[in-house]
């Protein structure tokens, strides 16, 4: 018979297996959800330090207020309260280049810079060589500006001076022993970008999360998936709050009752 190989979950009449472990006896009550999520993504059990950083990222990205993704989830729940999965899905579908996707964009950007540097005769600097990281970061930011591209992970619409998640996550990575080349380069970008851009921007929480996850060995293709895992919890929280203290109808009415017709081509 045809078989379908998997390294994830299987079951029979008497047991459930997940990741090669007995789900009921080896995993339930023994590992945290964050540890299990990392294990599922990477196919390896994380160290305690890796679990700490991974779960810190999940907490930092779970919710950030009335963002477009949260509003989308609440409005969808208003329209279809019988299908909570649709409300969660509506919020997750908004995870793109402006919201949630920055984590992936930053991880990819840092990874590309590091890969190019590793191919040079000098290779990558030692982690503690701050001056060498600054030089590498300065070249990367300069090249980005010359190409007319934004440096991902810089700037935040609310935290104009500093994102409180960034130094905390960097500190946790140091404490957990997971601080690596992606975070070293990201911090260097924070130190030198003003020389190129002419203004100082904060390193945002989404960007530092991408750097921290990349240092844990997660591939770029899974960075946004990790953000969506975190934001799923936040969206469920918004829906639960919408049930208790609804605001979606007020949002809808505010827009609908203030809609004003303008002829095509006329300024709004």
């Amino acid at each position: 018979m045809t078989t379908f190989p998997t390294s994830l979950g299987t079951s029979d009449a008497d047991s459930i297996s997940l990741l090669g472990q007995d789900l009921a006896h080896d995993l339930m009550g023994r590992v945290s959800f964050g540890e299990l999520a990392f294990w599922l993504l990477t196919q390896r059990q994380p160290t305690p330090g890796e679990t700490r950083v991974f779960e810190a990222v999940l907490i930092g990205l779970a919710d950030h207020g009335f963002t477009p993704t949260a509003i989308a989830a609440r409005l969808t729940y208003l329209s279809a309260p019988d299908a909570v999965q649709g409300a969660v899905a509506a919020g997750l579908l908004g995870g793109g280049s402006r919201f949630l996707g920055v984590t992936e964009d930053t991880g990819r950007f840092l990874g590309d810079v590091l890969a190019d540097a590793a191919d040079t005769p000098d290779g990558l600097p030692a982690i503690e060589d701050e001056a060498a990281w600054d030089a590498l970061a300065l070249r990367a930011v300069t090249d980005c500006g010359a190409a007319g591209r934004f440096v991902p992970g810089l700037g935040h619409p609310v935290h104009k001076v500093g994102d409180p998640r960034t130094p905390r996550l960097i500190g946790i990575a140091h404490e957990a022993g997971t601080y690596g080349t992606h975070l070293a380069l990201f911090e260097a970008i924070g130190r030198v970008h003003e020389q190129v851009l002419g203004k100082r921007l904060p390193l945002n929480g989404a960007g530092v999360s991408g750097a921290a996850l990349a240092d844990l060995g997660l591939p770029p293709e899974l960075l946004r998936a990790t953000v969506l895992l975190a934001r799923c919890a936040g969206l469920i929280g918004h829906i639960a709050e919408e049930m208790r203290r609804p605001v979606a109808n007020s949002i809808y009415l505010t827009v609908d009752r203030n809609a004003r017709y303008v002829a095509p081509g006329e300024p709004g």
Side-chain angles (χ1 to χ4, degrees), residues 9 58 69 89 97 119 124 138 140 142 162 168 185 190 196 201 207 215 233 247:
L58 295 180
T69 59
S97 58
D119 286 339
L124 292 176
L138 187 61
T142 301
R168 179 59 177 148
L185 176 58
V196 179
L201 298 170
D215 276 345
V247 299

Side-chain angles (χ1 to χ4, degrees), residues 140-151 196-197:
V141 175
T142 301
D143 291 346
C144 223
R149 293 182 282 114
F150 291 108
V151 179
V196 179
L197 304 182

Side-chain angles (χ1 to χ4, degrees), residues 193-204:
H193 70 270
E194 189 175 8
Q195 300 177 42
V196 179
L197 304 182
K199 59 182 177 180
R200 177 157 294 278
L201 298 170
L203 296 173
N204 60 50

Side-chain angles (χ1 to χ4, degrees), residues 2-52:
T2 301
T3 61
F4 300 91
T6 178
S7 299
L8 301 177
T10 58
S11 63
D12 56 32
D14 301 312
S15 66
I16 302 172
S17 174
L18 181 61
L19 298 163
Q21 312 293 312
D22 185 289
L23 176 68
H25 299 291
D26 298 332
L27 299 178
M28 293 175 66
R30 296 181 181 273
V31 303
S32 68
F33 180 73
E35 183 178 356
L36 179 66
F38 185 98
W39 202 341
L40 288 166
L41 287 171
T42 64
Q43 295 289 289
R44 66 177 180 85
Q45 187 173 9
T47 66
E50 289 173 329
T51 299
R52 186 181 177 207

